Amino acid sequence: MAKKKMILDLDTGVDDALAIAYATAAPDVDLIGIVSSYGNNTLDVCAKNALKLLELLGQTQVPVYKGLPHSSTSDHFDVMQVSKDIHGNNGIGEVDLPEPKRQLETESGVDFFIEAAHKYGKDLIIVPTGPMTNLAAAIEKDPEITHLIGNVTFMGGALTVEGNVTDVAEANINQDAKAANTVLSSDLPQTMVGLDVTLRTLLTKKETQKWRNLGTKAGKAYADITDFYIDAYYNLDIDKNGCALHDPLAVGVALDPSFVSTIALHMKVNYGEKNYGRTIGDNSRLNDPNPNVNVAVNVDKDRYLKQFMEYLTGLFEQH
């Protein structure tokens, strides 16, 4: 049992699958639950994917909770074609995994956040790697949790580089910019792991071949899932050199902040018509002391990739 406890808030696609593996393999934290979101696919598909992957990794003790099915400013969610192109129609690179034996929890993911915040306090780390809808809803339901939770390290946003869905907006933030603003402008201690650093941290087929060579179920499945993603990056001309480790980098930074260099800011997210989804410093609080968001602007990518491969290869060897 580790002292630190982690909850992942995932829209389980390919890089989310890698984040689950990293959190599972890390020796210095207990993954106490996954809250599912919409984004790379629908809520139901993403939740089921999380259960399937946990079973593949021999982690059936980890519960999966359903979050909210669409953004705080809409009444439905449609999967974007580009999400299917990058993650596959099933969200996990068209790899067919067995139906999970464990069922989804009946408690809502929003209530699980609140319950865990009161139970674990500063030992709780929350890592959202999809839209911020679930965490924003938890804050609105119980504002006290912003002073209880130890850290929120989220994958999302872009400060020093362009967005990946518009010139200014990154995909996760763009799904629900209003919710993202609720989280970023709250008192929660946060680290933003955005495109500034994730686009520098690449995985290639040289690494996935090492997993395939293990000859295990998890090694082959994860190699197949990730190779689909690498091919999508190449074919869509996102990056010809490999795929970005967006979500697993956030998990790595949550456990070892020294992987990145940061600047401390009070942040906000634009959710009006102009520059929708832009993550930016808040002019009105420039001189306020104790900014609560550390924005990652550079990354020790070689050291991170070494640890990523050690953790995941070690895990896949066993399953």
Side-chain angles (χ1 to χ4, degrees):
M1 293 284 285
K3 187 170 189 290
K4 294 288 184 185
K5 311 297 179 185
M6 180 178 284
I7 301 172
L8 299 176
D9 185 355
L10 306 166
D11 55 332
T12 311
V14 176
D15 52 331
D16 309 78
L18 296 169
I20 291 172
Y22 193 108
T24 294
D28 49 349
V29 73
D30 291 335
L31 179 61
I32 61 166
I34 290 174
V35 175
S36 198
S37 186
Y38 63 92
N40 293 321
N41 213 299
T42 62
L43 174 65
D44 288 342
V45 170
C46 292
K48 182 72 75 72
N49 283 347
L51 282 174
K52 288 177 177 179
L53 290 161
L54 287 167
E55 197 151 301
L56 175 70
L57 298 171
Q59 302 294 318
T60 52
Q61 81 282 2
V62 179
V64 178
Y65 301 80
K66 281 170 75 169
L68 297 164
H70 54 75
S71 81
S72 60
T73 54
S74 65
D75 59 6
H76 73 288
F77 170 72
D78 297 316
V79 184
M80 291 189 295
Q81 184 58 48
V82 68
S83 299
K84 295 177 183 177
D85 293 341
I86 294 171
H87 297 272
N89 290 313
N90 70 347
I92 46 174
E94 300 301 348
V95 173
D96 189 24
L97 295 177
E99 283 296 300
K101 294 184 179 70
R102 179 159 185 165
Q103 300 297 305
L104 294 165
E105 304 305 302
T106 53
E107 182 184 2
S108 78
V110 171
D111 288 339
F112 176 59
F113 274 147
I114 293 167
E115 183 184 288
H118 284 275
K119 183 174 181 180
Y120 296 110
K122 297 301 179 193
D123 289 331
L124 181 63
I125 303 166
I126 294 177
V127 184
T129 64
M132 295 280 210
T133 312
N134 297 324
L135 188 52
I139 291 169
E140 284 166 355
K141 187 169 183 178
D142 184 358
E144 188 189 351
I145 66 170
T146 63
H147 301 113
L148 298 175
I149 295 165
N151 182 260
V152 172
T153 299
F154 66 92
M155 191 281 125
L159 183 67
T160 63
V161 296
E162 294 171 340
N164 58 359
V165 286
T166 69
D167 287 347
V168 297
E170 178 276 330
N172 289 335
I173 303 295
N174 192 68
Q175 292 279 13
D176 193 345
K178 187 173 186 290
N181 186 63
T182 297
V183 176
L184 266 70
S185 59
S186 76
D187 291 335
L188 278 168
Q190 297 168 64
T191 302
M192 174 173 136
V193 179
L195 300 179
D196 315 77
V197 287
T198 63
L199 290 176
R200 304 176 198 225
T201 314
L202 299 176
L203 196 73
T204 72
K205 289 189 177 178
K206 186 177 81 176
E207 284 85 29
T208 60
Q209 188 60 46
K210 290 178 182 173
W211 299 342
R212 199 179 296 286
N213 292 345
L214 295 171
T216 61
K217 275 186 190 173
K220 182 183 184 304
Y222 264 85
D224 288 346
I225 289 167
T226 311
D227 282 353
F228 181 97
Y229 194 57
I230 292 169
D231 287 341
Y233 265 63
Y234 189 92
N235 296 331
L236 297 169
D237 208 20
I238 299 169
D239 198 315
K240 299 287 191 189
N241 299 305
C243 67
L245 293 175
H246 298 293
D247 297 351
L249 181 59
V251 179
V253 172
L255 297 173
D256 183 356
S258 73
F259 280 131
V260 293
S261 50
T262 62
I263 54 175
L265 291 170
H266 287 291
M267 296 286 287
K268 68 174 184 178
V269 182
N270 294 339
Y271 60 92
E273 287 181 18
K274 188 180 178 189
N275 291 334
Y276 183 87
R278 185 184 188 190
T279 47
I280 194 71
D282 185 349
N283 284 3
S284 69
R285 295 189 291 164
L286 275 179
N287 291 315
D288 286 3
N290 305 318
N292 66 316
V293 185
N294 291 312
V295 183
V297 291
N298 211 340
V299 57
D300 188 346
K301 60 190 180 196
D302 294 335
R303 184 165 68 89
Y304 171 75
L305 186 61
K306 182 172 182 286
Q307 182 151 299
F308 171 89
M309 285 302 294
E310 282 176 5
Y311 279 5
L312 271 69
T313 307
L315 178 66
F316 300 158
E317 259 178 337
Q318 301 166 39
H319 300 284

